[in-house]
Amino acid sequence: MIEVRQLTKRYRTTRAVDGLSFEVKPGYVAGFLGPNGAGKSTTMRAVLGLDRPTSGEALVDGRRYADIRRPMHHVGALLDAGAVHGGRSAYDHLRVLARSNGIKDRRVVATLEQVGLAGVADRRVGSLSLGMKQRLGVAAALLGDPGVLLFDEPVNGLDPEGIRWIRHLMRDLAREGRTVLVSSHLMSEMALTADRVIVIGRGKLILEASMQDLQEKFKKDVLVRSTTPDALVAVLTAAGATARSEDGALFVQGLDAPDIADLAARHRIPIHELTPRSASLEDAYLELTEESVEYRTKETGR
Amino acid sequence: MTDVLNSEWLKLRSVRSTTYVLLAIAVALLGGALVSYLMTADWDTSPPDLQQKFGAADPGVMVVPFAQFCLGVLGALAITSEYGSGMIRTALVSVPRRKAYLLAKTVVVAGVSLVVALVTTLLAYQAGELITGDRPRPISAYDSFGDAVPTLLANTASLVLLGLVGLGLGFLLRSTAGALVTLCGLLFVLPTLTLLLPYPWNDRVYSVMLPVLAPQLSGELPDPPLSPVGAGLVMIAYLVLALGAGAAALLRRDA
Ligand SMILES: Nc1ncnc2c1ncn2[C@@H]1O[C@H](COP(=O)(O)OP(=O)(O)OP(=O)(O)O)[C@@H](O)[C@H]1O
Ligand SMILES: [Mg+2]
C-alpha cells in the first residue's frame, strides 16, 4: 500500500509536486500518468525517501520509507535504469545491492535468470544496452521479493518483446497481491497494463479512476444511421437528446444506444447502424492534461 | 549494519579504480626504491665531507606524499563515482538510513586505507633498509626498526586521514573533479602559498598544512611549531571537519 498525502515538493522556483494525494492498494496495477515535468518522478523519489518533501508525507505500508529496515524486502523500485556504476559487472552490481539487505547470492543468480540477463551477468554494466539496463533495474527491484513495487517509465528503451514482458510481469505481480505503481506518458500503454490510473499535471492530481470509469467518462456519442433521419431526430429530441447530422449519419448525445434502439422500434423507424463512440483513451488523456502541459512543442502551420 | 558494511566492502573491491589506485602506489614504491638506490650509489662514490651533506635514502619520503594523494582519491571516488553515475540513488533506496550508509563507507575506507598505509610504509622502510644496508646516517634514515616506528605510525595515521578527508570531500562536493582539485589544493598548492604570508604567520599556518602534520606527530622534525599532541589534534580537526561537512551534505540535501 502506498499513501501520498498532501505531498508538496518545491525546488527553488518550481513546484514539482503540489498538494498531491492518492493511494495505491494491493492487487492491481496503478498507472501513474502525466506529461513531461508533471512530477511523477519527483513523487516517486519522495516515496522512496530520496527527496525530502517540502510538506506533506508519503508512506509505504503505513511507514516512512526511511524507517523501514532492509527495505528491499518490502519495496522494490526502478527509478532510472542508467543510475548505476558502469564499471561493475551486472552480477556484482546486484550482489552489492543484495548484500546491503542481507539477500543471498543464490537469489541474485535466480533473479538474473528471471529477467533474462543470465548470459551477460559478467559483462560490465556500462557495456549493456539500454534495454538490458532496464532489465537489470527490474532485477534489482525484484531482488528482495517485495510487496510494493514502483517503476518509473519501465518500458523506456525496451523492444516490443521487452515491453510485452514488462506488461505481463506487472500484471502478474499485481495478481500475486502486490502493490504496483507504474509511471508512463502513454495512455495507450497504460490501457493495456493498468487497472486504475492516477493522472497528474503540474504536480496536481487531475484524476484518479479505474480504467473502466475513465472509458465510461469519455463516452462521447452514438452514431445512428437511418433511412428517415428527420423522423428520428424529432423523436430523439422529444426524448431529451440532441442530435447532429453529418454525412448522412446522426451523432446522438444524451441517450444510450439501447434507449435509441427502443425508441426507434416503438416509432417503427428503421435503423441501419447504431454505434456507441468513445473518445480514444489517448484523446481522453490529452484532453485531461491539456491545461497542464508545460513543455509543449510549438505547433506549426495549422 | 554488517549487511551495509559487507555491501560497501564488495563495492570497493568490484571496481577497477580501486585496483588502479593501488597500482599507482605500488609504482610509487618502486620509483621511491629506485631513487634511494641511486642516491646510495652516489653516496658510495662521494668523498666523506660530501657524504655528510646527503639526505636519507628513505623511499618513504617520496612515497608517502604520493600515497596520501592516492588514498585521498580512493576515498573521494568511493562516493563521487556514485554521484557521478547516479548509483547513489539506487544505493540509498536499498539503504535509506543515511547515517548507517555514511558510517559503513567511513569504516570501509578507513579499513582499506589503514591496511594500504601499513603495507606501504613498512615496504618503504624495508626497501630503504635493504638498499642502505649497514651504511651509517645520514644516508641510512634509521639506526634500528624501533627508531623508525614513530615515523611509520605517523605516516600511517596521515595516510588514513587522507583517505577519510577524500571521502568527506566527496560527500560534500559530489563531484570527482571537484574533490580531486580540492585534494591537490590541500596537499600541494596551499602549503606553498602559506609560505608567502608575513612572518610569523607563514610558519604558523604552514605547520597546520596536511603534508607537514605527520613529521610533527612523530616528533622527527627539529624544532617544530606543533608538538606531537598538537599535530594529532590538528589531524583530528581535519577529520571531524571533512566528515562532518560530508555528513551534513548527505543528511540535509536531497540525493
Ligand atoms: N532536482 C531538481 N531540481 C530542480 N528541479 C527539479 C528537480 N527534479 C525535478 N525538477 C523539476 O520538477 C518538475 C517535475 O519533474 P519530474 O521529473 O518529477 O517530472 P516527471 O513527471 O517525472 O517528468 P517526465 O515525464 O519528463 O519524466 C519539473 O519541472 C522539473 O524540472
Ligand atoms: Mg520522470
Side-chain angles (χ1 to χ4, degrees), chain A residues 196-296:
Chain A
R196 291 186 69 83
V197 282
I198 297 155
V199 183
I200 66 169
R202 291 182 187 262
K204 290 195 170 81
L205 185 70
I206 294 180
L207 173 104
E208 184 182 8
S210 73
M211 213 60 179
Q212 264 174 350
D213 288 351
L214 189 68
Q215 256 154 352
E216 191 75 13
K217 183 169 171 193
F218 284 89
K219 218 162 39 177
K220 243 174 34 187
D221 51 17
V222 184
L223 183 153
V224 190
R225 283 182 208 279
S226 169
T227 45
T228 53
D230 295 342
L232 185 59
V233 169
V235 170
L236 290 173
T237 319
T242 56
R244 173 171 58 88
S245 163
E246 199 180 305
D247 294 340
L250 292 175
F251 296 90
V252 182
Q253 282 182 306
L255 276 179
D256 277 351
D259 297 336
I260 297 171
D262 289 350
L263 216 56
R266 218 174 304 138
H267 292 88
R268 303 189 160 276
I269 300 171
I271 284 195
H272 289 181
E273 184 183 349
L274 192 63
T275 314
R277 302 194 318 152
S278 61
S280 75
L281 279 174
E282 206 63 53
D283 290 340
Y285 168 63
L286 287 176
E287 192 177 313
L288 278 173
T289 56
E290 199 170 25
E291 299 281 277
S292 64
V293 172
E294 219 163 323
Y295 306 99
R296 188 198 303 272

Side-chain angles (χ1 to χ4, degrees), chain A residues 9 11 45 48-52 65-66 68-72 77 80 82-85 87-88 92-93 95-97 99-102 124, chain B residues 1 3-4 6-7 10-16 81-82 85-98 251-255:
Chain A
K9 175 68 191 179
Y11 299 108
R45 281 201 303 272
L48 295 168
L50 290 174
D51 283 13
R52 183 191 310 241
Y65 187 83
I68 305 178
R69 275 185 54 81
R70 296 188 167 182
M72 290 172 79
D80 173 3
V84 287
H85 193 300
R88 270 185 206 102
D92 279 342
H93 170 69
R95 273 207 305 166
V96 160
L97 298 176
R99 290 212 175 165
S100 67
N101 279 245
R124 296 186 335 119
Chain B
M1 190 65 211
D3 293 342
V4 189
N6 257 327
S7 165
L10 176 60
K11 252 187 207 169
L12 206 59
R13 276 185 299 151
S14 57
V15 290
R16 290 186 193 168
S81 70
E82 295 197 9
S85 62
M87 176 70 189
I88 183 71
R89 287 191 295 279
T90 309
L92 286 179
V93 167
S94 42
V95 185
R97 288 169 305 146
R98 299 193 182 184
L251 298 179
R252 297 256 168 80
R253 286 164 61 185
D254 289 335

Side-chain angles (χ1 to χ4, degrees), chain B residues 120-146:
Chain B
T120 306
T121 49
L122 282 174
L123 279 179
Y125 165 78
Q126 202 55 50
E129 288 304 291
L130 282 175
I131 290 163
T132 53
D134 47 13
R135 291 173 188 81
R137 280 181 190 247
I139 191 69
S140 168
Y142 313 103
D143 295 329
S144 66
F145 181 68

